[in-house]
Amino acid sequence: MTQRPPTAIDQYEALSTVVSLVRRNSARTRPELGATALLGRTVISQRVEEAMALGLLEDGDVGPSSGGRAPRRLRFRSEQGLVLSAVLGVAALDVAVTDLDARVLVHRHLEWPVARGPEETLRFLDEQFAGLLDGRDTARLWAVVIGVPGPVEFATGRPSQPPIMPGWDGFDIRGRLQERYRVPVWVDNDANLLALGEARSAGLDDSRHMVFVKAGTGIGAGIVSQGRVHRGSKGAAGDIGHARVLEDNSVMCRCGRTGCLEALAGGWALARDAVTAVHEGRSRFLADIHRATGEITPADIGRGVVAGDAWCLTAVARAAERIGSLLAALVNFYNPDILVFGGGAVTGGDTFLRVVDHTVRSRALPLASADLTIRASAAADTGGVVGGAHLAVEALLSADALAVWAPGGRPSAVDPARLVGRA
């Protein structure tokens, strides 16, 4: 049988594999690349030279010898590009500029209500991005990534009926930012970016399956399966906060439905119930805060847990049980290796995680939960912006994207619309 001659896409598949293996420290020398990627020495040599010409790789220090001349280690040149990454929350946002390894160069956490709408918010982001890029070579900008606290149609980069983002439904975030920055822009749900940031920061093996649960003001989940974010057909995968868990029409959710998990166990719901508890004299700790500030926040409840306030401990434990009960069904259905929790609800000591762990293991099938790891997030408060940077860089280093931009030497040399959607 005659052997099929290599095609251009074969070239870029090999180039993508070589660069990605070095970037993730899975193979550092040419012999290691050949053994890991199952590519011949000539192909490896050609693709390494091509990556060097693009400024993506360079020779570094000398690696260990296996008997002959010690090979040179390759280094991914993360300093060759920059990524602007932002994650919007209900009342605050995180912005950062990273290198191509998703290392945060500058990070800011700022109070900002997403309810102020897309025009004001994106103008504010422009100001923050300008500050992050001040003194840096803007020609090195590779991409912009935005995470939002609601469902996103990933293919178009438009929020889709987000319950807590008035005025954002269908807004063309991608188009607005691509016109402004002339680079590819990705828009995703915040929990997806948190999940990807967690997976990459923790070095999660690509064979494993993880569910990241954001239990903060709202409740959402991001799913990473075999190294990739699972978004579903319309980008709605993981929206567990609006699963109906109580047959009680009196408990109204911000989405307009009743009985949602978020309306019972989200941070905003706990804060709502806390005000009632204060008026009924059930928490002196929260009453002092309410008297001083005029409001109760989810973070106040977390502090109450640490302080040993009985109402706060009971409220957080009840919320954890409700979340754990739903997750037990998801564990049976999806059978992940790892459940990770991030968000404000896990900051108040170990009460939340302890109750979730017990609830999941007592209600999930033994086979599904036998080797299940349940833990708090290992990523810092930059997890979402780090996940955004990984999303963009991995998309731009895919074979399809390289085939578009590599002939021009850099991603900004081509129409950004040709590069988005690859993730």
Side-chain angles (χ1 to χ4, degrees):
M1 185 174 66
T2 58
Q3 193 172 33
R4 179 179 64 85
T7 64
I9 194 60
D10 292 329
Q11 170 190 342
Y12 289 113
E13 287 282 2
L15 177 62
S16 175
T17 298
V18 165
V19 173
S20 298
L21 285 172
V22 175
R23 178 177 180 268
R24 295 186 65 177
N25 290 317
S26 299
R28 296 291 304 280
T29 67
R30 290 165 177 80
E32 288 173 353
L33 285 169
T36 305
L38 301 178
L39 296 171
R41 183 184 303 176
T42 300
V43 173
I44 291 294
S45 178
Q46 290 172 343
R47 300 292 80 79
V48 167
E49 290 301 318
E50 187 175 359
M52 287 180 168
L54 289 170
L56 296 175
L57 298 182
E58 68 178 6
D59 278 317
D61 58 358
V62 176
S65 172
S66 58
R69 187 174 65 179
R72 282 258 179 209
R73 287 194 179 100
L74 292 162
R75 189 183 79 85
F76 177 68
R77 299 188 66 198
S78 59
E79 70 277 9
Q80 283 294 98
L82 300 170
V83 177
L84 288 171
S85 186
V87 177
L88 311 183
V90 175
L93 56 84
D94 288 276
V95 292
V97 59
T98 79
D99 66 11
L100 300 184
D101 265 333
R103 280 190 292 262
V104 174
L105 305 177
V106 184
H107 166 246
R108 296 173 183 170
H109 178 80
L110 303 158
E111 300 301 315
W112 182 270
V114 73
R116 292 183 69 166
E119 294 291 353
E120 277 193 74
T121 299
L122 294 179
R123 279 197 298 269
F124 183 69
L125 271 183
D126 284 341
E127 294 171 7
Q128 300 309 314
F129 285 160
L132 295 174
L133 290 174
D134 187 34
R136 303 179 191 278
D137 181 6
T138 56
R140 292 167 53 213
L141 183 63
W142 272 38
V144 175
V145 185
I146 306 293
V148 299
V152 174
E153 190 175 51
F154 188 69
T156 64
R158 296 172 184 260
S160 179
Q161 301 180 355
I164 60 173
M165 299 175 65
W168 289 82
D169 183 30
F171 188 87
D172 188 9
I173 301 175
R174 173 183 293 163
R176 159 71 166 72
L177 293 173
Q178 278 184 177
E179 183 179 357
R180 169 70 177 82
Y181 294 97
R182 304 296 179 184
V183 296
V185 174
W186 281 269
V187 184
D188 206 349
N189 175 262
D190 58 347
N192 288 341
L193 298 187
L194 285 163
L196 187 60
E198 179 73 27
R200 298 295 183 259
S201 297
L204 185 73
D205 188 271
D206 282 353
S207 66
R208 307 190 77 188
H209 309 272
M210 181 189 79
V211 175
F212 184 101
V213 181
K214 179 194 174 188
T217 302
I219 300 173
I223 303 164
V224 175
S225 181
Q226 296 185 324
R228 296 178 63 87
V229 175
H230 173 74
R231 297 182 178 86
S233 65
K234 293 293 184 180
D239 196 3
I240 63 173
H242 300 288
R244 187 178 173 93
V245 296
L246 183 67
E247 295 298 326
D248 182 348
N249 292 334
S250 67
V251 184
M252 182 68 69
C253 184
R254 293 181 296 181
C255 71
R257 297 180 176 87
T258 58
C260 295
L261 177 67
E262 187 175 297
L264 296 164
W268 70 269
L270 294 181
R272 174 201 62 202
D273 295 344
V275 173
T276 301
V278 166
H279 291 325
E280 294 175 353
R282 289 185 283 147
S283 173
R284 179 175 296 179
F285 178 88
L286 294 177
D288 291 342
I289 293 174
H290 192 264
R291 190 178 305 111
T293 66
E295 63 176 357
I296 301 292
T297 68
D300 295 327
I301 298 169
R303 285 189 282 270
V305 171
V306 174
D309 179 78
W311 187 89
C312 293
L313 284 163
T314 300
V316 168
R318 185 169 58 244
E321 183 178 7
R322 283 167 166 160
I323 293 171
S325 182
L326 177 61
L327 289 174
L330 295 181
V331 166
N332 288 342
F333 179 78
Y334 181 61
N335 192 202
D337 299 284
I338 306 171
L339 278 179
V340 179
F341 289 85
V346 297
T347 60
D350 64 352
T351 299
F352 180 89
L353 273 179
R354 188 176 66 249
V355 174
V356 165
D357 189 288
H358 172 76
T359 305
V360 170
R361 296 188 192 282
S362 63
R363 300 185 186 184
L365 293 171
L367 179 60
S369 61
D371 297 317
L372 178 67
T373 297
I374 301 176
R375 62 170 175 79
S377 172
D381 56 0
T382 57
V385 292
V386 166
H390 279 296
L391 167 66
V393 175
E394 290 171 15
L396 290 172
L397 294 180
S398 69
D400 287 347
L402 282 167
V404 173
W405 71 259
R410 64 186 190 280
S412 58
V414 301
D415 180 357
R418 299 176 61 196
L419 295 170
V420 294
R422 306 176 190 277

